[in-house]
Amino acid sequence: MKVYPGTRAGGVVADMMAANELNSHMFLQNSSKGISQHLMLLLGGFETTTGEQWLAFRDYGKSSAADYAKVASEKLTKLSTWNSFERGQTMKRRQRFIIKLLQGALRGLAYMHDHDRLHQSLGPFSVSLNTISEREAPYLIPRLRDLAFSVSIRYSELEDSGPLTEGLWARASAASAFSYLEKRAFGIADDIYEAGLLFAYLAFVPFCEAGVMDGLSLQVSCAARLTLYCIADDSLVNAIEFLDLGDGAGWELLQAMLNADFRKRPTAEAVLNHRFMTGEVL
């Protein structure tokens, strides 16, 4: 269950976000192509007498990618007393789990983009997991949630302006994206940038001991800056080894997703087909 405060507490903004999330799920779930298993399934919604908006979703588990990263980081702190073999096996399981997590999140995003919808709030808390056990990676199904900020990029709606779109289209104009085609491409690339930040988060936090990442902002403009930081920090060795897989395939993909030029960022499908995401590097 997800609740939005009533008009008296949250004002019209809360009602608008609840309605947008409801409408976004209804639109995506009514697709003739079927429902993606990498999106949360909305079962219904209702309004209480006090004006609260409630949305009901199928229960796939309460954990998020952020919960997983926190638990993984805490476990790593205890690994310092383990032997090298146990530590090595743990890192291999972690690498497989995170790649599968990213695959699921990107499949959900690709489905949304294929249906002319942007997520616009993709992050570790907006990816739901049915398990956070790395040994259960074969059964992991990541699902995107929190579609309150989702935006339609159908050509007929690109002129629409409102609280959910004005910031996006202002950034598009600043990036010289003015035509319908350019604005649509910018919106998709904007989601990819957020997916890149999610990738960076999952490439570092679960591979570092608890507290190590507190002083490092992952809001980076390009992977090159992150690389320079890592070279001088021994506490990030596990994260570096992860991104170094396949002769630096992780760095290559991360830099592409966080490219300052939105025109040079890959699509969600291209990310999924990258050798780092296909698992070839493992």
Side-chain angles (χ1 to χ4, degrees):
M1 303 293 290
K2 183 175 184 178
V3 60
Y4 287 89
T7 304
R8 284 177 293 181
V12 295
V13 175
D15 282 350
M16 176 192 66
M17 292 172 64
N20 189 55
E21 182 157 16
L22 176 66
N23 292 333
S24 297
H25 276 286
M26 288 178 63
F27 173 78
L28 292 167
Q29 290 176 196
N30 287 329
S31 169
S32 60
K33 299 180 181 179
I35 301 173
S36 170
Q37 68 169 341
H38 296 292
L39 292 178
M40 290 292 286
L41 182 65
L42 178 72
L43 301 178
F46 60 90
E47 181 179 351
T48 65
T49 55
T50 57
E52 292 179 339
Q53 304 285 342
W54 286 78
L55 300 179
F57 297 90
R58 178 165 292 174
D59 185 6
Y60 292 114
K62 299 178 177 63
S63 298
S64 68
D67 296 323
Y68 160 72
K70 181 177 182 294
V71 170
S73 181
E74 292 171 348
K75 286 183 179 179
L76 188 61
T77 304
K78 302 173 184 178
L79 279 179
S80 58
T81 59
W82 293 19
N83 63 49
S84 58
F85 176 78
E86 289 176 307
R87 191 181 188 93
Q89 291 298 105
T90 298
M91 288 302 104
K92 287 180 181 178
R93 283 195 298 269
R94 188 153 300 176
Q95 290 169 357
R96 294 189 183 98
F97 188 92
I98 290 174
I99 286 180
K100 185 158 186 183
L101 195 167
L102 289 168
Q103 287 173 340
L106 265 296
R107 287 192 181 110
L109 194 63
Y111 181 88
M112 291 187 67
H113 291 173
D114 188 49
H115 288 76
D116 297 325
R117 300 293 301 193
L118 303 180
H119 190 286
Q120 286 296 285
S121 60
L122 184 60
F125 289 98
S126 58
V127 181
S128 176
L129 307 179
N130 61 325
T131 180
I132 59 173
S133 171
E134 291 166 348
R135 295 182 183 274
E136 296 178 358
Y139 311 105
L140 172 66
I141 303 178
R143 294 178 172 90
L144 300 188
R145 63 186 185 189
D146 301 334
L147 303 188
F149 295 95
S150 179
V151 171
S152 171
I153 49 172
R154 286 181 289 186
Y155 288 110
S156 60
E157 298 181 44
L158 287 175
E159 278 295 335
D160 295 347
S161 181
L164 295 176
T165 58
E166 58 185 2
L168 173 64
W169 301 140
R171 294 197 303 276
S173 296
S176 300
F178 301 111
S179 70
Y180 285 175
L181 189 63
E182 289 172 331
K183 288 174 69 174
R184 188 177 188 280
F186 179 88
I188 291 173
D190 200 51
D191 265 2
I192 294 299
Y193 188 88
E194 290 187 343
L197 292 176
L198 173 65
F199 180 13
Y201 178 90
L202 292 170
F204 283 88
V205 176
F207 289 103
C208 298
E209 295 184 11
V212 169
M213 297 303 295
D214 292 348
L216 174 64
S217 171
L218 291 177
Q219 301 293 322
V220 292
S221 60
C222 68
R225 296 181 187 177
L226 202 55
T227 306
L228 292 174
Y229 182 93
C230 292
I231 291 174
D233 195 332
D234 292 339
S235 64
L236 305 181
V237 62
N238 295 316
I240 295 172
E241 289 177 356
F242 178 54
L243 292 169
D244 278 347
L245 291 172
D247 293 326
W251 296 110
E252 176 186 289
L253 179 58
L254 186 59
Q255 187 166 7
M257 296 175 74
L258 298 178
N259 198 301
D261 185 349
F262 79 90
R263 296 174 178 83
K264 296 181 179 179
R265 293 175 203 154
T267 63
E269 287 290 350
V271 173
L272 284 167
N273 289 324
H274 191 275
R275 59 198 178 97
F276 189 82
M277 291 294 290
T278 60
E280 291 179 21
V281 295
L282 296 176

